[in-house]
Amino acid sequence: MSLVLGVDPGSRLTGFGLVQSLGAKLDYVTSGVIRIAPTLPLPERLDLIYESLIEVIEKHQPSEFAIESVFMSKSAGSALKLGQARGAAIVAATSQGLEVHEYEARKVKQSVVGTGAADKLQVQHMVKTLLKLPKTPQEDAADALAVALCHINTQKHLLSVAQSKHFRRGRLV
Amino acid sequence: MSLVLGVDPGSRLTGFGLVQSLGAKLDYVTSGVIRIAPTLPLPERLDLIYESLIEVIEKHQPSEFAIESVFMSKSAGSALKLGQARGAAIVAATSQGLEVHEYEARKVKQSVVGTGAADKLQVQHMVKTLLKLPKTPQEDAADALAVALCHINTQKHLLSVAQSKHFRRGRLV
């Protein structure tokens, strides 16, 4: 069993989502959005992301942490803001002893929707379907749940590759 | 008396410096550079910045924290890296209950060297002179000490403005 916390950091909205997996069974635990008033001074904004995520981690005790990796950004200004939010989110996880797993946006979409070129609406729709949610989650919460699902799928795939290698070795010897 | 921790964050080198001020007296306490192997995974790099600064804060118990603000960056890629390092450094301070003060690079140079266009060597030289150091500090450590000195100067200026306003009010009433 694993309990995965996915996070989609941003300087104004940081989404988070918790998914539990047991074998092929996926269970939605919770999700939400940390909303940060742009009028707050930067240190307070970053502290809000950091403290809110630590609160989620302390309450739910996830076993793993997943976040989207970033390679491209529109501008240096937005990259700096996103970087600061990511830095605060990542050390919130590492300070609580969680390993951080990063996944490219294309891989997250591929894993959840089946195509790396999926748009936000498709991600929201598939997250709702896969987790049997009564309502479509907010965009940033859906992205956070999607990266958690991507991590669960990747771990399962790695496990099944390891098992099939073991099986092949068993036949060869 | 105030004990100011200045920090110059970077994804490979993060400088820090502690300066104590008592009236007009300035005392160098310590400084150093957190060196981060670029081969380490990002979460470990950010955690090193975060944990090392918390160690410095726990050991020396500074009363204030100062950091350079950033408005411009060469590229989106370097802005993202710098942002992540800044985010980790800032929440290290806020998590320990420290208020974070930000100063523009020009203001730091103006405050320490006397001109906002000063280069790195001039900053290193003036930091060495002002703090009566036996050797020139490493570049990032010097930048960290410079932002601490800038904060001390700014606080003194604010205090003297407040006092002179108080004095003027005293004469007017």
Side-chain angles (χ1 to χ4, degrees):
Chain A
M1 197 192 78
S2 65
L3 179 58
V4 182
L5 172 59
V7 168
D8 179 35
S11 60
R12 295 184 62 164
L13 297 171
T14 288
F16 65 90
L18 276 150
V19 180
Q20 186 169 291
S21 81
L22 180 60
K25 201 168 169 285
L26 290 173
D27 279 311
Y28 169 84
V29 179
T30 190
S31 68
V33 179
I34 305 159
R35 285 169 203 278
I36 301 139
T39 46
L40 282 178
L42 173 75
E44 286 181 41
R45 297 206 304 271
L46 298 180
D47 196 53
L48 251 173
I49 296 173
Y50 170 86
E51 293 290 351
S52 307
L53 289 179
I54 287 190
E55 208 179 297
V56 171
I57 294 167
E58 283 180 343
K59 184 170 175 192
H60 296 281
Q61 302 283 325
S63 53
E64 281 140 90
F65 182 97
I67 191 167
E68 258 186 34
S69 55
V70 183
F71 287 104
M72 294 286 280
S73 204
K74 282 168 225 154
S75 70
S78 64
L80 181 77
K81 282 182 191 163
L82 175 60
Q84 290 171 162
R86 288 196 97 224
I90 288 173
V91 298
T94 57
S95 76
Q96 302 303 300
L98 281 171
E99 256 191 39
V100 174
H101 301 268
E102 288 188 284
Y103 296 97
E104 287 176 45
R106 278 192 71 82
K107 182 166 168 125
V108 174
K109 290 172 182 172
Q110 174 73 43
S111 174
V112 174
V113 184
T115 162
D119 63 23
K120 293 263 182 197
L121 275 176
Q122 288 173 290
V123 171
Q124 282 175 291
H125 175 73
M126 280 309 295
V127 164
K128 182 184 173 217
T129 307
L130 288 167
L131 296 173
K132 300 179 187 68
L133 302 177
K135 287 205 296 189
T136 304
Q138 187 273 0
E139 194 178 300
D140 302 272
D143 282 346
L145 289 165
V147 72
L149 288 168
C150 172
H151 176 67
I152 290 168
N153 287 343
T154 308
Q155 294 300 307
K156 271 186 198 148
H157 177 70
L158 291 175
L159 188 67
S160 80
V161 169
Q163 282 170 341
S164 77
K165 271 189 186 160
H166 184 72
F167 180 66
R168 281 205 301 276
R169 268 207 297 274
R171 284 169 63 102
L172 281 168
V173 173
Chain B
M1 197 193 77
S2 66
L3 178 59
V4 182
L5 171 59
V7 168
D8 179 35
S11 59
R12 295 183 62 164
L13 298 171
T14 288
F16 65 91
L18 275 150
V19 181
Q20 187 170 292
S21 81
L22 180 60
K25 200 168 169 282
L26 289 174
D27 279 312
Y28 169 84
V29 179
T30 190
S31 67
V33 180
I34 305 160
R35 285 168 204 277
I36 301 139
T39 47
L40 282 178
L42 173 75
E44 285 180 40
R45 297 206 304 271
L46 298 180
D47 196 52
L48 252 172
I49 296 173
Y50 170 86
E51 293 290 352
S52 306
L53 289 180
I54 288 191
E55 208 179 295
V56 171
I57 294 167
E58 284 180 345
K59 185 171 175 190
H60 296 280
Q61 302 284 327
S63 53
E64 281 139 274
F65 182 97
I67 190 167
E68 258 186 33
S69 56
V70 184
F71 287 105
M72 293 286 281
S73 203
K74 283 168 223 154
S75 70
S78 63
L80 181 76
K81 283 182 190 161
L82 174 60
Q84 289 170 163
R86 288 195 97 224
I90 288 172
V91 298
T94 57
S95 76
Q96 301 304 301
L98 281 170
E99 255 189 43
V100 175
H101 302 268
E102 288 188 284
Y103 296 97
E104 285 178 45
R106 278 192 70 82
K107 184 169 167 123
V108 174
K109 291 173 182 170
Q110 174 73 43
S111 174
V112 174
V113 183
T115 161
D119 64 23
K120 292 262 180 195
L121 276 175
Q122 288 173 291
V123 171
Q124 281 175 291
H125 175 72
M126 281 308 295
V127 164
K128 183 184 173 216
T129 307
L130 288 168
L131 295 173
K132 301 179 186 69
L133 302 177
K135 287 205 297 188
T136 305
Q138 188 273 359
E139 193 179 301
D140 302 272
D143 282 346
L145 289 165
V147 73
L149 288 168
C150 171
H151 176 66
I152 289 168
N153 288 343
T154 307
Q155 294 300 307
K156 273 187 198 147
H157 177 71
L158 291 175
L159 189 66
S160 79
V161 169
Q163 281 169 342
S164 77
K165 271 190 186 159
H166 184 72
F167 180 66
R168 282 205 301 276
R169 266 207 299 273
R171 283 171 62 104
L172 282 168
V173 175

